[in-house]
């Protein structure tokens, strides 16, 4: 049970998503991440879908609403985890919620065919420019990429050999992220879809 009632509701691709000031408000453009993940789920091997830095869970929940699979959501914020559970119940979906650091709460042997990652990516010096957003949900460290780097590590450790990941980053960070991926051996950038508000990067195993 949630410790308090969420006081805001958003229609996210047809899902009723509850949230409050403790988590990032759903952004409508990110339905594109859900729909892209759903396309990949439909062509992927069997297995659970993993969402990293899930917040209220709307992106992962919409993906598995469109392409039904078991969903695992990970977030370090207890309030976010409570809201994921509530949003799953409200929409008739099931979710396995893991509360804590993403590199700790997953078993080393767990592998997923699809990984959705929504890390905070705002540079720390710019966090104050978004007073309506909780700092913990948008602060990506000095260069905005601290949690992106950790997501890349977790994806590399837990993506099935024939799986795919859809990573959300800032609109100006695609080049830096592509460089980070190029400097490791596990993943490769397959496709980038850019939006005014952000960018989505598809990652597959390096062959």
């Amino acid at each position: 049970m949630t410790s308090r009632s969420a006081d805001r509701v958003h229609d996210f691709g047809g899902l009723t998503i509850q949230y409050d000031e403790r988590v990032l408000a759903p952004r409508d453009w990110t339905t594109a991440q859900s729909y892209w993940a759903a396309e990949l789920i439909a062509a992927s091997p069997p297995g659970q879908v993993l969402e990293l830095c899930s917040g209220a869970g709307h992106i992962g929940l919409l993906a598995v609403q469109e392409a039904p699979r078991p969903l695992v959501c990970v977030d370090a914020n207890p309030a976010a985890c409570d809201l994921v559970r509530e949003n799953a119940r409200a929409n008739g979906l099931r979710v396995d919620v893991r509360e804590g650091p993403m590199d700790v709460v997953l078993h080393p042997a767990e592998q997923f065919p699809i990984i959705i990652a929504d890390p905070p990516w705002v540079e720390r010096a710019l966090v104050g420019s978004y007073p309506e957003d909780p700092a913990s949900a948008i602060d990506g460290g000095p260069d905005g990429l601290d949690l992106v780097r950790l997501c890349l590590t977790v994806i590399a450790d837990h993506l099935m050999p024939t799986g795919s990941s859809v990573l959300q980053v800032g609109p100006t960070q695609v080049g830096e992220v592509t460089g980070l991926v190029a400097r490791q051996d596990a993943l490769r950038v397959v496709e980038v879809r850019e939006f005014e508000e952000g960018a989505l990067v598809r990652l597959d195993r390096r062959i």
Side-chain angles (χ1 to χ4, degrees):
M1 299 290 291
T2 54
S3 57
R4 52 176 284 190
S5 297
D7 56 7
R8 303 171 196 174
V9 177
H10 187 86
D11 183 321
F12 188 76
L15 293 184
T16 300
I17 298 299
Q18 302 179 59
Y19 69 102
D20 56 34
E21 76 283 351
R22 300 171 296 169
V23 297
L24 191 66
R27 267 60 168 172
D28 286 333
W29 81 270
T30 62
T31 59
Q33 188 172 13
S34 302
Y35 294 135
W36 194 2
E39 292 173 15
L40 296 170
I41 290 168
S44 72
Q48 300 178 103
V49 174
L50 172 65
E51 182 179 17
L52 302 173
C53 305
S54 67
H58 46 287
I59 295 175
L61 290 170
L62 180 56
V64 299
Q65 169 76 10
E66 294 293 308
R69 288 284 184 94
L71 176 65
V72 176
C73 284
V74 174
D75 203 286
N77 180 355
C81 292
D82 284 343
L83 287 164
V84 173
R85 295 184 187 98
E86 183 59 34
N87 285 322
R89 282 194 293 267
N91 290 282
L93 299 167
R94 298 182 66 179
V95 63
D96 174 2
V97 179
R98 312 281 182 90
E99 180 183 321
M102 68 181 92
D103 55 343
V104 173
V105 297
L106 297 171
H107 188 279
E110 285 187 287
Q111 296 280 291
F112 301 88
I114 300 293
I115 300 178
I116 301 166
D118 322 315
W121 44 254
V122 175
E123 293 179 26
R124 183 161 295 155
L126 301 177
V127 166
S129 302
Y130 306 93
E132 71 281 8
D133 296 327
S136 62
I138 63 171
D139 185 352
D143 65 353
L145 295 172
D146 281 1
L147 274 296
V148 172
R149 292 186 186 92
L150 183 54
C151 280
L152 289 173
T153 297
V154 173
I155 293 166
D157 288 343
H158 293 279
L159 186 66
M160 283 183 181
T162 56
S164 296
S165 177
V166 183
L167 169 70
Q168 183 189 140
V169 298
T172 63
Q173 295 173 332
V174 172
E176 293 169 280
V177 171
T178 300
L180 289 172
V181 174
R183 289 193 290 275
Q184 45 97 315
D185 296 328
L187 304 171
R188 60 189 178 97
V189 173
V190 176
E191 184 182 350
V192 176
R193 298 183 183 179
E194 298 185 75
F195 302 81
E196 182 178 350
E197 304 94 334
L200 303 175
V201 181
R202 174 182 167 182
L203 303 163
D204 285 6
R205 282 278 179 205
R206 189 182 295 274
I207 299 174

